[in-house]
Amino acid sequence: MASSVRSAKNNGIAAEKKERRPMTVPRFIEAKSLGQRLTMLTAYDYTMARLLDDADVDAILVGDSLGMVMQGEPNPLRVTMDEMIYHTRLVAKAVRHCLLIADMPFMSYQVSPQQALENAGRLVKEGGAHAVKLEGGQRSVGAIEAIVSADIPVMGHVGLMPQSVHRLGGFRVQRDGERIVSDAQAIEKAGAFAIVVECVPADLAQQIRESVKIPTIGIGAGLGCDGQILVSHDMLGLFNDLRPRFVKQYGAIGEAISEAVNRYCDEVRTGGFPGPEHTFRG
Ligand code: KIV
């Protein structure tokens, strides 16, 4: 009985999944006016992207946080265009429902609007991204205008901008409200479809949300945003080198991996693995 109830429920979920409409840029924008909070997480490879896409996430970001999470760097500055394209391609293979956004790495859009357009085009054409994300307010207006002129949707990023880590003196909460609000408005005017707001006080995030029509996606910015994003490896407890205060851990996957690996090593050393069920006979 219990199992038939479970399988009916599972069938329901499967049916729901089949009907799940892919997230698109227009639907993403519309969510704000419908009061639907948006969910975003990062992925850098096929396996993680499959898990996220099969779950109920609205959008996946191939973030340049891969510099820290995948490459063990202290910041994202050394991530290259070719690396972003490579990881975006892996994620794109898994994506069926989510909106797929790829980060533009440091120095791939700052030189000129032409450079920004060419590199955004590569992320779409070679990587399979649906949209790109870049950092900066006023100073990124030319880049955003150039990219959207080719119908490539752009997500902005204000507040703490990790590519500015040296100017900012570290990954710190940003409190210059007037400048950040006008940066958000400049990005919207330039044609961005959404904005990541990173590490600002909650009341400032709320003010930003009210000052633009496009969705704001918070990280370390409290509840007053139209959606939230976290680095998957942080929220799953898979990457523990850095523990920002704004991260909530929804899993302890790192611990689960250590436990499984230690159990495997014990069984290999004591002859418990492979067992008869893992062994071919002649
Ligand atoms: O690179 C990244 O993962 C990001 C998000 C955390 C916003 O920019």
Side-chain angles (χ1 to χ4, degrees):
M1 171 67 178
S3 75
S4 67
V5 169
R6 204 177 315 125
S7 77
K9 267 194 187 158
N10 287 343
N11 286 342
I13 289 166
E16 233 171 68
K17 268 189 184 153
K18 255 188 223 145
E19 284 164 21
R20 195 172 140 209
R21 281 199 296 156
M23 178 54 76
T24 60
V25 167
R27 288 188 61 212
F28 200 85
I29 296 169
E30 194 190 12
K32 179 164 181 156
S33 56
L34 296 176
Q36 293 166 353
R37 285 183 194 268
L38 292 155
T39 57
M40 282 186 69
L41 286 169
T42 60
Y44 319 105
D45 63 44
Y46 175 83
T47 302
M48 181 67 83
R50 268 308 292 273
L51 290 166
L52 301 188
D53 194 78
D54 283 348
D56 204 9
V57 180
D58 293 316
I60 294 178
L61 172 71
V62 185
D64 62 357
S65 50
L66 71 83
M68 287 94 103
V69 176
M70 294 278 112
Q71 301 174 336
E73 295 286 337
N75 57 54
L77 297 182
R78 297 182 72 177
V79 176
T80 66
M81 265 306 294
D82 286 343
E83 288 164 350
M84 285 307 308
I85 289 168
Y86 170 74
H87 285 279
T88 304
R89 210 173 62 228
L90 306 186
V91 170
K93 285 185 185 161
V95 167
R96 286 170 207 148
H97 304 104
C98 293
L99 186 65
L100 172 54
I101 302 157
D103 247 341
M104 298 200 67
F106 181 55
M107 294 316 290
S108 69
Y109 58 95
Q110 289 90 342
V111 175
S112 67
Q114 179 69 23
Q115 181 216 25
L117 174 58
E118 281 172 10
N119 282 324
R122 288 191 67 198
L123 285 165
V124 172
K125 215 170 163 140
E126 298 173 46
H130 305 146
V132 299
K133 174 169 86 59
L134 53 79
E135 296 181 7
Q138 285 290 347
R139 69 172 158 90
S140 296
V141 162
I144 296 172
E145 284 174 347
I147 297 168
V148 299
S149 75
D151 279 345
I152 298 172
V154 178
M155 176 176 269
H157 186 150
V158 299
L160 170 57
M161 296 175 286
Q163 292 175 12
S164 302
V165 61
H166 294 314
R167 176 176 65 78
L168 300 175
F171 297 119
R172 298 166 194 278
V173 179
Q174 301 299 303
R175 301 176 193 279
D176 183 354
E178 220 171 288
R179 186 183 49 78
I180 300 174
V181 168
S182 75
D183 274 346
Q185 288 173 328
I187 290 172
E188 174 176 46
K189 195 158 170 243
F193 74 94
I195 309 175
V196 166
V197 178
E198 179 161 356
C199 265
V200 303
D203 54 345
L204 174 54
Q206 178 70 36
Q207 201 186 327
I208 297 168
R209 178 197 197 185
E210 285 162 9
S211 68
V212 294
K213 290 198 179 65
I214 55 178
T216 58
I217 308 297
I219 173 164
L223 257 183
C225 294
D226 300 300
Q228 298 289 328
I229 181 166
L230 284 176
V231 169
S232 297
H233 291 59
D234 289 342
M235 61 82 83
L236 292 172
L238 188 53
F239 179 77
N240 293 313
D241 288 8
L242 289 171
R243 279 273 193 103
R245 176 171 156 209
F246 58 76
V247 172
K248 176 170 176 182
Q249 283 198 345
Y250 289 84
I253 308 301
E255 268 171 40
I257 290 176
S258 298
E259 251 178 61
V261 170
N262 283 331
R263 207 146 43 81
Y264 163 77
C265 292
D266 278 353
E267 290 192 4
V268 168
R269 289 184 184 122
T270 58
F273 176 81
E277 70 275 33
H278 312 115
T279 304
F280 300 108
R281 286 173 218 295

